[in-house]
């Protein structure tokens, strides 16, 4: 006849699976060996600190099956930290969690092309939505004077324009000089294309190559860097993906965009 060997292991130490409970602050549990009951006030380095109703503190190791929660044996585990909310926007401005987009202003910011607009959105999008500023892109600036006249700028509907390659003697500078209005601000950066406003270090290149006059700049850049010159759209998407904040852009662009936002949002 087989002898009977009773399992004398306490029930709370048996190996049946028990739930794992995060040791969140203020969770009330009882330590199984001492019967100490208290609320979690701290959890660190594999230990949990409990405070009982008299204000007494005790530190316990977070061993498997080490606590009772509402009479059930549980294993306390370290809580998963909530992801930190960003305190700054991509432009470096103070983030406003939960802020709603403002109704669009009458004022606008115009930029030369789609890539310019996408880059501005990438870095200043949060700021622009809070301020209610809409960015629209033009197909070049050849018709800028007539475009400005059609917009009809006014003190309560200011217009800001960002121009590529705005340097003395350039075609762009001559066109910009034709726009004269206290309610219009035309500024620009010195780069032939807005691609150049992205820092080379952010793209893993030493510098933007020099393209001889008369050649298409984007095509020349792609060929020099070994990028697919027959698909500049894909190249731009790659460039844009490397821009995560204002730190990836050159100061010559940063200052001009900030200037335009201030101009169109001024009281």
């Amino acid at each position: 006849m087989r002898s009977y060997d009773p399992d004398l292991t306490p029930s709370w130490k048996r190996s049946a699976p028990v739930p794992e409970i995060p040791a969140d602050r203020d969770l009330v549990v009882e330590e199984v060996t001492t019967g100490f009951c208290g609320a979690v006030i701290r959890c660190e380095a594999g230990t949990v600190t409990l405070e009982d109703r008299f204000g007494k503190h005790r530190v316990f190791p977070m061993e498997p099956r080490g606590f009772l929660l509402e009479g059930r044996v549980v294993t306390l585990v370290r809580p998963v930290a909530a992801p930190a909310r960003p305190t700054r926007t991509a432009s470096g401005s103070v983030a406003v969690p939960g802020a709603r987009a403002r109704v669009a202003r009458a004022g606008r910011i115009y930029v030369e092309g789609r890539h310019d607009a996408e880059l501005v959105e990438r870095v200043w999008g949060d700021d622009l939505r809070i301020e209610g500023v809409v960015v629209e892109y033009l197909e070049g600036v050849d018709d800028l004077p007539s475009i400005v006249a059609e917009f009809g700028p006014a003190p309560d509907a200011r217009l800001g324009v960002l121009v590529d390659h705005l340097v003395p003697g350039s075609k762009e500078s001559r066109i910009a000089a034709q726009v004269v209005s206290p309610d219009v601000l035309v500024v620009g950066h010195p780069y032939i294309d807005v691609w150049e406003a992205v820092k080379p270090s952010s793209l893993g290149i030493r510098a933007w190559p020099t393209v001889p006059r008369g050649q298409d700049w984007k095509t020349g850049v792609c060929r020099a860097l070994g990028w697919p010159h027959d698909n500049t759209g894909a190249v731009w998407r790659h460039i844009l993906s490397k821009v995560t904040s204002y730190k990836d852009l050159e100061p010559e662009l940063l200052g001009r965009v900030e200037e335009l936002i201030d101009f169109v949002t001024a009281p």
Side-chain angles (χ1 to χ4, degrees):
M1 181 176 182
R2 189 172 58 180
S3 62
Y4 176 66
D5 184 14
D7 184 359
L8 300 179
T9 305
S11 60
W12 55 267
K13 283 189 175 179
R14 292 176 188 166
S15 58
V18 299
E20 293 186 345
I21 305 296
D24 294 322
R25 188 176 180 86
D26 297 328
L27 178 73
V28 177
V29 293
E30 178 184 340
E31 203 276 330
V32 294
T33 59
T34 64
F36 186 90
C37 183
V40 175
I41 62 169
R42 188 178 304 110
C43 179
E44 56 187 1
T47 65
V48 62
T49 303
L50 304 182
E51 180 183 61
D52 69 9
R53 61 193 180 94
F54 302 108
K56 183 179 179 180
H57 293 184
R58 287 193 64 176
V59 180
F60 298 99
M62 291 198 300
E63 294 182 344
R65 311 171 63 87
F67 298 86
L68 296 175
L69 174 63
E70 298 178 350
R72 287 190 309 161
V73 178
V74 298
T75 297
L76 291 187
V77 295
R78 193 161 188 170
V80 177
R85 288 183 174 180
T87 58
R88 297 279 173 177
T89 65
S91 71
S93 301
V94 176
V96 184
R100 293 184 177 182
R102 179 174 173 169
V103 175
R105 295 174 181 266
R108 292 287 188 274
I109 291 177
Y110 285 169
V111 298
E112 277 207 54
R114 181 169 58 85
H115 293 180
D116 305 64
E118 290 174 344
L119 188 60
V120 170
E121 163 62 26
R122 183 85 168 187
V123 176
W124 288 274
D126 290 339
D127 307 54
L128 293 167
R129 280 182 284 279
I130 290 175
E131 295 291 348
V133 177
V134 175
V135 175
E136 299 180 8
Y137 69 87
L138 314 169
E139 293 297 338
V141 293
D142 290 352
D143 299 321
L144 184 61
S146 60
I147 290 171
V148 170
E150 182 179 355
F151 177 82
D156 60 347
R158 292 181 172 181
L159 179 62
V161 183
L162 180 68
V163 178
D164 296 343
H165 199 223
L166 191 62
V167 296
S170 67
K171 177 193 73 172
E172 291 81 1
S173 66
R174 292 191 294 272
I175 294 172
Q178 300 174 39
V179 179
V180 181
S181 168
D183 301 313
V184 179
L185 177 64
V186 180
V187 299
H189 55 75
Y191 308 113
I192 295 174
D193 191 277
V194 78
W195 287 20
E196 275 191 294
V198 179
K199 290 181 178 178
S201 58
S202 297
L203 301 172
I205 60 176
R206 295 181 59 184
W208 286 103
T210 300
V211 177
R213 290 177 64 88
Q215 289 188 21
D216 178 74
W217 188 85
K218 288 188 177 80
T219 302
V221 163
C222 291
R223 283 177 171 156
L225 294 174
W227 294 345
H229 65 274
D230 57 346
N231 193 348
T232 56
V235 172
W236 169 245
R237 289 191 292 274
H238 168 74
I239 294 170
L240 190 63
S241 72
K242 299 300 182 181
V243 177
T244 59
S245 78
Y246 71 97
K247 296 178 182 179
D248 296 307
L249 302 182
E250 299 287 1
E252 290 82 356
L253 176 66
L254 292 173
R256 303 295 75 75
V257 176
E258 296 285 352
E259 191 177 354
L260 290 176
I261 294 174
D262 289 344
F263 179 76
V264 299
T265 59

